[in-house]
Amino acid sequence: MNRIILRFFLFPVSILAGLFSFTNCASTKKAEIPVYLNDCKPIGDRVEDALSRMTLEEKVAVLHAQSKFSSAGVPRLGIPELWTDDGPHGVRPEVLWDQWDQAGWTNDSCTAYPALTALAASWNPKMSALYGKSIGEEARYRKKDVLLGPGVNIYRTPLGGRNFEYMGEDPFLSATMVVPYVQGVQSNGVAVCVKHYALNNQELNRTLTNVTVSDRALYEIYLPAFKAAVQKGHAWSIMGSYNMYKGVFNCHNPYMLNDILKGEWGFDGAVVSDWGGTHNTDQSIKNGLDLEFGTWTNGLNSGASNAYDNYYLAKPYLDKIRSGKVGTEELDAKVRRVLRLMYRTNMNRNRPIGKFTSPEHYAAARKIGAESIVLLKNEGNILPIAKANKILVVGENAVKMMTVGGGSSSLKVQHEISPLDGIKARYAGKAEIIYERGYVGDIGGSYNGVESGQNLKETRSADQLIADAVAAARDADYVIFIGGLNKSDHQDSEGADRLELGLPYGQDAVIDALAKANKNLVVVNISGNAVAMPWIDQVPAIVQDWYLGSEAGNSLADVLSGDVNPSGKLPFTFPVALSDGPIKTEAQYPGIAGANPDPGTAKKYKVIYDEHYTEGIFVGYRWYEHQSIKPLFPFGYGLSYTTFEVGQAKASGKELKGAGTVSASAKPSQPKHTLKITVPVKNTGKVAGAEVLQLYISDPECSVERPVKELKGFKKVFLQPGESSSVSFEIDPSALSFFDEQGHDWVAEKGIFKALIGTSSADIKTTVEFQLK
Ligand code: BGC
């Protein structure tokens, strides 16, 4: 911090006066304020003016890190440092200037929000907006300019270690949910940094994988969420991913960054490298990287004065320019982007000041959490638990802190309500709550020096733990088993994929034994991934919970008690077995080791894993439906404590015009031709609740192979008992299109299409046919 304070006081006094007096544009004596400091001037003019005043050294200095999470500003001009921080679920605690270790601040314990998988499971863009606004306020209060998130990599395999940080398997769902998050964060004058662009769909060998994928799968499956974040959300920065695509690392990949992101989509923000994702100066110069972070430094190389001088976009770049090996055209283009990012964030004097761990933030976390929980099974309506004398809670996840761990999204929280505490609080004075451990999972609880402070040591044997849980289960009215994964290595964590679909730590045996001991068994699975459930037929009630952050236990208790009627829907398919999924070969996953195809990085990385996404567009439900494989729980599935009746869908016409090319590169504009589809829905049960109507499009005849159907619309509707409503969707030709590889554009072919509306991908209630002309 001393360095920051020192820098601050070195600013020329006149500049400081300019920075801290709010400008009234009408009364400003414009001549006195340089354009770059004049907030009455358009950002473009200010960027150009700032650029024209910067020296070569100052320009290079803003293109790379100066600490773990910050980059230098231009102190001479009064342009402040740019501060970034993780991450998608809360604002990461302060680390030391050059190290991952804790800085030891006492004012950086944040509100943890539900993981992004949970947000996606709410299927409610309003929850995304609330999430974005709230986390943005926290980032702003903590003086962060760039929040490193959200992540929108597609859920390709249930083994993916970071799936919990992403928004599921469907491009339309994640593209819809990411936009309000981006807008909400940025309304605070804090930039998002959408990650990890792109094809970073696994943790195993994440820095050494070269992905080969068809253009069709790239554009239809892996890019839409990024594109929406850029074009609809207007994301101010994006993070390149660690992996390679077409034999070049993605942080300086000409196809991904120059051609698609900046070219086709017109992205005007800054490309930030993932931490340590930059490997080559020439490629960084030419291929679209703007801001380099996290490159390994030892402070000794090159005789440089400062470790960060060794970055690829630092002294090596400066040397190349000084020696005339490269010009300054790319340099200016990069600096413009970084300055634009600064004008949108730390140079915006009118941005709000934010707030931190406020009651509103906890309320938001609790609400989003409760809306995301998915009721998977509820035989005999054993849930909600309204009345009971004695409830037994079993399982390590009922007590284990989940906000610490999992990698860069790990947090230091002001509080975290465990499921057991949430349940105890909800039933206080109403039912006796007892607890049994059931199994031992991961007793650790630390990440980068943040300690959960929990003592989870256990001396009983696995058999004894089961015997004790069973004995307690016999005379309980209800047994709630709370298990799943836990963000330790291989159990939903950055840097290490899962090793199996099954639950770890012998949990299946515990569930089995509990099911035999008590017929009122509720299994709550906490994870960010699908898990196998061999005991499914023995358990009457199953709840899919997620990593819900600070208010985790309250959100869960809200749903178990019926205070909140569950309305979450699965954002990804639960297969019965891993082998049911699309990944069949080593070449598909985890890739086959071979030589590094890139001469520019071959010295540094000799071995690269070649990975072929040969399943193409058949990812998630697209695969299971294509192969007619029945999953354990389908995409979009989730029950409620009430019932809904969905009536007959009606279209505003029998035809839709606009067949042909639906341009890929144009900025989004209002579609010329649309079709409105309206569906009546009624709450036919006894309690208020919400249903998510999902609209899928099926194209029965096409010149290319297409999925059985694809999600192209969804709406969550809240209804009182007996209340009816009508839900409408607007379809335009882009919803009917596929990516044509030859023409490199989106094409909607003439012919018959079907709109299928249902309450999950496997439960279609009504269909309308129409013709595209
Ligand atoms: C992760 C990013 C993260 C960055 C900074 C990287 O290892 O992949 O998601 O934002 O570290 O912590």
Side-chain angles (χ1 to χ4, degrees):
M1 271 313 281
N2 289 346
R3 282 168 87 160
I4 304 166
I5 293 165
L6 193 69
R7 283 234 157 101
F8 187 80
F9 284 111
L10 288 177
F11 284 175
V13 173
S14 59
I15 288 173
L16 280 179
L19 275 175
F20 293 101
S21 65
F22 279 82
T23 322
N24 172 352
C25 292
S27 66
T28 306
K29 287 184 208 147
K30 289 175 188 136
E32 287 172 17
I33 304 172
V35 171
Y36 82 97
L37 285 178
N38 186 342
D39 24 22
C40 299
K41 296 286 183 192
I43 284 186
D45 295 357
R46 301 177 74 188
V47 165
E48 290 309 317
D49 186 45
L51 186 74
S52 72
R53 293 165 189 265
M54 289 166 72
T55 64
L56 176 63
E57 290 73 14
E58 284 169 340
K59 287 180 181 177
V60 171
V62 299
L63 300 185
H64 59 86
Q66 59 161 6
S67 75
K68 271 273 170 258
F69 283 104
S70 73
S71 67
V74 192
R76 186 179 61 83
L77 297 178
I79 297 177
E81 296 164 333
L82 186 81
W83 279 85
T84 73
D85 204 1
D86 284 301
H89 307 147
V91 186
R92 183 177 179 153
E94 301 300 322
V95 297
L96 293 173
W97 189 263
D98 285 316
Q99 290 158 45
W100 294 110
D101 290 344
Q102 294 305 294
W105 290 19
T106 51
N107 56 356
D108 55 352
S109 301
C110 68
T111 310
Y113 295 90
L116 292 192
T117 343
L119 177 62
S122 76
W123 288 61
N124 186 351
K126 284 191 188 131
M127 291 301 106
S128 277
L130 176 65
Y131 195 129
K133 177 178 167 284
S134 311
I135 196 173
E137 284 171 351
E138 299 229 343
R140 174 69 189 106
Y141 188 87
R142 288 268 307 280
K143 300 198 174 10
K144 305 303 176 193
D145 305 307
V146 182
L147 183 74
L148 303 174
V152 287
N153 295 93
I154 286 289
Y155 185 116
R156 180 174 175 250
T157 159
L159 301 184
R162 280 182 101 170
N163 283 342
F164 72 99
E165 283 189 64
Y166 305 141
M167 296 191 182
E169 73 186 23
D170 183 74
F172 184 87
L173 176 64
S174 45
T176 307
M177 294 300 284
V178 72
V179 171
Y181 182 114
V182 170
Q183 291 165 337
V185 170
Q186 294 189 165
S187 68
N188 292 285
V190 172
V192 293
C193 189
V194 188
K195 62 195 192 182
H196 306 89
Y197 181 73
L199 300 168
N200 181 181
N201 308 103
Q202 72 194 59
E203 290 304 290
L204 183 55
N205 300 324
R206 65 175 171 167
T207 59
L208 298 172
T209 294
N210 178 31
V211 174
T212 302
V213 62
S214 69
D215 276 0
R216 194 156 165 225
L218 179 67
Y219 279 83
E220 290 188 19
I221 305 292
Y222 296 101
L223 294 184
F226 291 103
K227 184 182 177 188
V230 167
Q231 292 198 328
K232 295 190 179 151
H234 303 288
W236 294 334
S237 75
I238 199 164
M239 186 189 289
S241 59
Y242 283 131
N243 52 289
M244 284 179 155
Y245 166 62
K246 289 194 178 172
V248 192
F249 283 106
N250 271 353
C251 289
H252 30 73
N253 188 303
Y255 316 104
M256 281 291 174
L257 303 179
N258 289 341
D259 296 353
I260 299 176
L261 178 67
K262 295 181 178 178
E264 292 177 16
W265 300 349
F267 175 65
D268 72 355
V271 173
V272 178
S273 73
D274 198 347
W275 270 231
T278 313
H279 308 288
N280 180 292
T281 297
D282 288 324
Q283 291 181 14
S284 300
I285 296 171
K286 285 191 223 129
N287 298 347
L289 176 64
D290 301 310
L291 200 37
E292 178 187 1
F293 270 99
T295 306
W296 182 80
T297 52
N298 63 9
L300 300 171
N301 294 345
S302 330
S305 60
N306 150 14
Y308 296 88
D309 288 344
N310 297 315
Y311 272 39
Y312 294 95
L313 283 183
K315 196 167 173 296
Y317 192 10
L318 205 52
D319 289 345
K320 279 182 191 270
I321 295 173
R322 283 189 181 134
S323 66
K325 285 199 183 108
V326 296
T328 53
E329 196 186 322
E330 294 96 347
L331 174 74
D332 285 351
K334 291 176 200 302
V335 176
R336 278 192 185 94
R337 285 176 183 273
V338 172
L339 286 172
R340 202 174 299 131
L341 176 62
M342 289 171 158
Y343 278 107
R344 287 166 162 168
T345 58
N346 63 9
M347 287 293 281
N348 172 4
R349 294 184 301 156
N350 298 321
R351 56 183 176 160
I353 58 166
K355 53 186 173 179
F356 200 54
T357 56
S358 68
E360 292 83 2
H361 288 176
Y362 287 117
R366 182 170 182 167
K367 188 170 164 56
I368 297 162
E371 252 202 56
S372 73
I373 292 171
V374 184
L375 181 62
L376 294 176
K377 188 175 175 188
N378 197 15
E379 224 170 64
N381 292 329
I382 77 161
L383 285 174
I385 303 176
K387 263 198 196 153
N389 291 321
K390 198 194 241 187
I391 301 173
L392 169 67
V393 176
V394 182
E396 188 174 284
N397 282 359
V399 295
K400 185 174 169 66
M401 233 178 135
M402 292 289 192
T403 51
V404 179
S408 57
S409 64
S410 179
L411 296 169
K412 178 169 128 191
V413 290
Q414 197 192 45
H415 77 239
E416 176 177 340
I417 311 284
S418 70
L420 181 61
D421 286 344
I423 291 168
K424 276 187 177 162
R426 173 57 182 79
Y427 291 95
K430 297 189 179 80
E432 185 193 351
I433 308 293
I434 49 173
Y435 174 72
E436 272 297 335
R437 180 74 171 265
Y439 68 93
V440 176
D442 171 38
I443 62 164
S446 76
Y447 183 80
N448 271 174
V450 176
E451 303 285 340
S452 72
Q454 290 187 297
N455 181 357
L456 294 177
K457 280 195 192 121
E458 174 59 65
T459 48
R460 285 172 288 175
S461 69
D463 287 346
Q464 190 59 50
L465 285 169
I466 295 181
D468 291 351
V470 163
R474 286 206 183 99
D475 69 340
D477 299 313
Y478 291 90
V479 177
I480 306 175
F481 174 84
I482 304 180
L485 311 180
N486 57 18
K487 288 188 173 176
S488 59
D489 277 0
H490 304 294
Q491 308 298 344
D492 281 351
S493 175
E494 182 174 343
D497 283 344
R498 294 169 70 202
L499 303 172
E500 59 192 354
L501 188 68
L503 285 175
Y505 318 126
Q507 292 176 73
D508 290 343
V510 186
I511 296 170
D512 241 31
L514 290 173
K516 286 184 186 115
N518 192 312
K519 63 179 186 356
N520 288 335
L521 173 62
V522 179
V523 168
V524 176
N525 178 61
I526 298 181
S527 69
N529 257 314
V531 301
M533 298 185 180
W535 32 260
I536 187 165
D537 293 334
Q538 292 143 254
V539 176
I542 306 173
V543 172
Q544 176 60 31
D545 200 0
W546 316 97
Y547 305 113
L548 294 187
S550 289
E551 290 290 305
N554 286 334
S555 301
L556 179 63
D558 286 344
V559 167
L560 295 177
S561 64
D563 294 346
V564 170
N565 191 347
S567 63
K569 299 275 181 175
L570 293 179
F572 49 80
T573 310
F574 273 57
V576 174
L578 199 56
S579 54
D580 286 349
I583 310 270
K584 304 288 178 205
T585 65
E586 201 186 332
Q588 279 176 292
Y589 175 91
I592 294 174
N596 183 346
D598 172 30
T601 54
K603 253 197 210 155
K604 193 170 159 194
Y605 298 109
K606 296 207 167 42
V607 174
I608 290 291
Y609 293 82
D610 249 309
E611 190 159 305
H612 294 262
Y613 286 19
T614 45
E615 71 282 3
I617 57 169
F618 296 105
V619 175
Y621 66 91
R622 287 166 171 79
W623 166 263
Y624 296 99
E625 293 188 351
H626 181 63
Q627 298 288 316
S628 306
I629 295 170
K630 196 168 178 288
L632 189 65
F633 295 108
F635 172 77
Y637 172 85
L639 303 171
S640 165
Y641 295 151
T642 188
T643 47
F644 296 93
E645 198 178 270
V646 179
Q648 180 64 47
K650 285 204 180 81
S652 56
K654 290 198 164 119
E655 290 172 9
L656 174 63
K657 287 196 185 120
T661 300
V662 188
S663 190
S665 46
K667 288 255 173 199
S669 56
Q670 277 310 104
K672 268 202 237 138
H673 306 287
T674 58
L675 192 76
K676 194 168 170 186
I677 293 166
T678 311
V679 191
V681 52
K682 183 175 180 186
N683 180 347
T684 49
K686 292 199 177 69
V687 288
E691 182 54 285
V692 178
L693 290 191
Q694 305 161 33
L695 180 144
Y696 296 85
I697 292 287
S698 146
D699 182 5
E701 259 182 55
C702 187
S703 61
V704 296
E705 192 172 34
R706 299 200 70 172
V708 172
K709 62 180 187 294
E710 298 182 273
L711 184 74
K712 294 293 170 182
F714 62 88
K715 291 253 168 78
K716 192 168 204 174
V717 52
F718 290 81
L719 295 171
Q720 294 300 319
E723 191 186 350
S724 301
S725 176
S726 110
V727 172
S728 49
F729 300 94
E730 222 164 55
I731 292 295
D732 67 73
S734 71
L736 315 179
S737 63
F738 62 89
F739 191 79
D740 172 37
E741 300 196 326
Q742 270 72 46
H744 197 79
D745 219 333
W746 293 83
V747 169
E749 282 181 354
K750 283 184 189 157
I752 299 286
F753 285 84
K754 283 183 189 161
L756 306 108
I757 296 104
T759 54
S760 90
S761 60
D763 196 359
I764 298 304
K765 305 283 189 191
T766 174
T767 302
V768 260
E769 239 182 51
F770 58 93
Q771 197 163 20
L772 179 68
K773 288 207 160 165

